[in-house]
Amino acid sequence: MMEQFEEEEEQQLSDQSDLLTGSQDQVEDEEKPSQGQERNSGDEWDTDLETDSATDQKQSQSRAELYLQACQRTGSVPVSSFLRNLGDTNLNLNYYGVGPLGTKALAFVLQTDTTITNLELEENSLGPKGTRYLTEMLQTNITIQSLNLSNNQLGREGAYTISKMLSENYYVKSLKLSGNNFDDVAAKYFADALKGDYVIKELDLSHNMFSFTGGQHLGHMLAANVGIEVLNLSWNPLRLGGAMAVSAGLKVNSTLKQLDLSWNAFGQMEAESLGQALKNNRTLVLLDLSGNHVDDQAVTLLCQGLITNGTLGVLKLSQNPLTNIGALTLLKTVKKNLKSALEEIDISTVFVKEEFVEQLEEARQKRPALDVRYSAMSYVTRKLCALQILRKFLSERNESIMDFFEALDKEGTTNVSTSDFRKAVKEANIPLDQQQLDWLLRKFDKNCTATIMYSEFAELS
């Protein structure tokens, strides 16, 4: 069935009149102006946006005049924002309800435009027909480098049309196609067009319907592609075999720098395959796994790759079922890997405990740029303030923590009992509550011997 669709589509594209020169056939029913809409007297209606006479006059007409003429011929309402921003390199027509006919008028003007480099057409109900007008326009336009067609109900037919454009593309470098109901067949269209491609640098395929087979197609594409640097596959049901195929592609890919796999229901199996990919990949600098099913065990599997990876700089893991245990595993892995490039870790929805914060502070002594976003209960942060409170109190008396311990150590043994320390804190009226004091004692007496060997804490002073 799909083979028949492709043959019919290719025949339709080859037979369809060009935007510049075409037939005088009667316009398709859906492209006729609505009943009662007026036309200037003497104008004839045809399917083409430009005739030979219009071509001859183009040099003397402004883009505004050309656009208004095209709107009149297609029966579409002119978009005022386009007219107001003539001359800008960025044309943002997101959410204007342009539709297929409006797209045809717009495409007419943009064929030979040499100013606009970024074209934004998100959520304009373009459909496959409007997409076809745009791709035909791009056959002659050599200026547009960034194109946003997100949320335009393109479906499988639109994906096929775009894939044909990609096969002959030399100028568009950024393509956003989020939320267009693309399925696994559409994924194959894109994968076939992008294998070996070096032009597209940024591709957004988020919020679509790629699953097992679609993930396999995209994974194979990643293994062969030599151009994409930023790839967004978030909000697709990529799991199991599909996810592992993407990981396999990432393992051998040599250009990808940013990969967004958030909200894909990845769990332990998918995390393990990504960990294996990170052992070999040498280009990825950002990995977004937010909103998945990555738990403590999954993080352990992911860390199999993080322990040796030396290029990943940003790891996003918020909105996952991680606990303090998984957070500690991650942090300890980063500390052990002396080649690690990680500077930003987002676990902002994980509520960590005191040990994690202490480990993080130790890590920052050697790596000041390390930024970890986490959450902590108020009692945790209150305990962690205990040492700072003690330091501040003693500094106001021109004392250090070592001075405080030495005053209690009458015999100079460098040891102080925990009971003596507790009693001295209370007698000095140091503003520490019971939880803070207990936490300080556990910090100073880690082996629970009831004795503080304060010489080990000279650096705290």
Side-chain angles (χ1 to χ4, degrees):
M1 182 176 180
M2 284 312 307
E3 289 79 1
Q4 181 180 0
F5 165 73
E6 294 181 12
E7 291 176 1
E8 293 176 353
E9 179 68 13
E10 289 177 346
Q11 184 65 37
Q12 183 179 8
L13 290 174
S14 62
D15 293 344
Q16 187 178 13
S17 59
D18 187 87
L19 290 173
L20 286 169
T21 58
S23 67
Q24 300 294 324
D25 295 337
Q26 185 176 7
V27 70
E28 298 169 344
D29 290 341
E30 64 268 26
E31 294 183 355
K32 293 180 181 179
S34 59
Q35 198 170 26
Q37 182 174 4
E38 295 184 0
R39 298 182 230 151
N40 292 342
S41 59
D43 283 345
E44 292 187 359
W45 189 272
D46 59 36
T47 58
D48 303 312
L49 296 179
E50 185 173 341
T51 62
D52 290 340
S53 61
T55 303
D56 296 336
Q57 298 172 7
K58 186 165 63 174
Q59 297 299 323
S60 62
Q61 287 180 308
S62 70
R63 281 193 297 171
E65 291 170 335
L66 289 172
Y67 177 60
L68 291 173
Q69 180 188 40
C71 289
Q72 177 190 354
R73 293 190 175 188
T74 58
S76 59
V77 178
V79 179
S80 59
S81 181
F82 174 67
L83 297 172
R84 288 196 305 267
N85 295 285
L86 291 172
D88 289 353
T89 57
N90 177 45
L91 178 57
N92 189 337
L93 300 182
N94 293 339
Y95 318 112
Y96 273 91
V98 175
L101 296 178
T103 306
K104 187 173 185 180
L106 186 64
F108 165 72
V109 183
L110 295 179
Q111 292 173 100
T112 55
D113 178 83
T114 57
T115 302
I116 295 169
T117 58
N118 178 43
L119 178 58
E120 298 275 341
L121 286 170
E122 181 171 352
E123 201 162 321
N124 274 292
S125 301
L126 303 186
K129 185 176 290 295
T131 306
R132 192 159 58 246
Y133 294 138
L134 287 175
T135 56
E136 289 176 355
M137 174 271 292
L138 290 171
Q139 293 176 8
T140 56
N141 183 291
I142 61 173
T143 308
I144 294 175
Q145 298 180 19
S146 177
L147 180 63
N148 183 2
L149 299 180
S150 298
N151 300 304
N152 271 298
Q153 306 162 22
L154 303 187
R156 188 180 295 182
E157 186 178 352
Y160 180 79
T161 301
I162 293 172
S163 69
K164 291 302 179 184
M165 180 273 290
L166 290 174
S167 299
E168 302 175 351
N169 170 53
Y170 294 98
Y171 303 104
V172 177
K173 298 178 181 178
S174 174
L175 186 59
K176 297 179 181 179
L177 298 169
S178 176
N180 275 301
N181 299 318
F182 295 144
D183 58 11
D184 290 343
V185 175
K188 186 177 189 306
Y189 293 152
F190 292 129
D192 289 344
L194 292 170
K195 286 178 181 177
D197 177 78
Y198 61 90
V199 180
I200 293 291
K201 303 299 181 185
E202 179 179 357
L203 180 62
D204 183 355
L205 291 172
S206 61
H207 289 268
N208 281 294
M209 300 184 297
F210 305 136
S211 58
F212 182 95
T213 307
Q216 290 184 318
H217 292 315
L218 295 172
H220 296 155
M221 178 274 292
L222 264 183
N225 182 271
V226 291
I228 296 176
E229 297 178 358
V230 180
L231 178 61
N232 188 346
L233 293 175
S234 63
W235 290 95
N236 279 286
L238 294 173
R239 283 174 290 185
L240 302 175
M244 286 186 283
V246 171
S247 296
L250 175 65
K251 187 174 184 178
V252 297
N253 183 277
S254 60
T255 59
L256 193 64
K257 296 180 180 179
Q258 299 182 24
L259 178 59
D260 190 343
L261 294 172
S262 59
W263 302 98
N264 269 290
F266 281 18
Q268 293 182 15
M269 187 179 298
E270 294 84 359
E272 183 177 17
S273 64
L274 282 171
Q276 296 304 310
L278 291 175
K279 286 182 179 180
N280 294 81
N281 184 276
R282 295 294 181 268
T283 57
L284 195 69
V285 296
L286 184 151
L287 178 60
D288 192 344
L289 294 174
S290 306
N292 280 289
H293 297 161
V294 179
D295 56 14
D296 295 340
Q297 182 59 38
V299 160
T300 301
L301 297 169
L302 184 66
C303 285
Q304 293 177 358
L306 294 176
I307 193 64
T308 58
N309 184 278
T311 55
L312 190 68
V314 179
L315 178 60
K316 299 184 178 182
L317 285 167
S318 65
Q319 302 294 333
N320 277 288
L322 277 173
T323 71
N324 181 71
I325 296 173
L328 272 172
T329 300
L330 180 61
L331 183 57
K332 289 177 180 178
T333 300
V334 174
K335 289 174 65 178
K336 288 180 182 178
N337 182 3
L338 300 180
K339 299 186 301 179
S340 176
L342 272 170
E343 291 189 350
E344 181 180 332
I345 301 175
D346 185 0
I347 50 172
S348 54
T349 53
V350 180
F351 283 86
V352 300
K353 296 182 179 179
E354 298 89 344
E355 183 184 359
F356 177 88
V357 181
E358 291 179 300
Q359 291 267 0
L360 178 58
E361 289 304 314
E362 288 181 16
R364 283 173 174 164
Q365 295 299 317
K366 297 180 179 180
R367 300 174 57 182
L370 183 60
D371 178 19
V372 181
R373 301 172 191 170
Y374 60 86
S375 295
M377 299 296 287
S378 59
Y379 73 87
V380 173
T381 56
R382 189 168 65 251
K383 290 178 184 178
L384 293 169
C385 289
L387 188 59
Q388 182 180 353
I389 293 171
L390 178 61
R391 280 201 190 104
K392 182 180 179 182
F393 180 87
L394 294 175
S395 67
E396 291 175 352
R397 302 199 316 185
N398 295 318
E399 295 180 21
S400 66
I401 293 178
M402 288 299 292
D403 293 334
F404 188 75
F405 278 122
E406 288 173 352
L408 297 176
D409 183 15
K410 305 297 184 182
E411 299 179 1
T413 61
T414 69
N415 295 331
V416 172
S417 68
T418 54
S419 59
D420 286 345
F421 178 79
R422 185 188 296 273
K423 180 180 178 181
V425 167
K426 292 182 177 180
E427 288 178 350
N429 291 321
I430 299 176
L432 295 171
D433 62 29
Q434 191 62 45
Q435 285 187 333
Q436 290 173 322
L437 182 54
D438 289 343
W439 179 82
L440 268 180
L441 287 170
R442 285 195 299 272
K443 182 177 179 64
F444 292 147
D445 182 20
K446 293 182 179 179
N447 296 323
C448 299
T449 61
T451 302
I452 302 172
M453 300 180 65
Y454 63 85
S455 59
E456 298 178 0
F457 302 103
E459 73 279 0
L460 297 179
S461 297

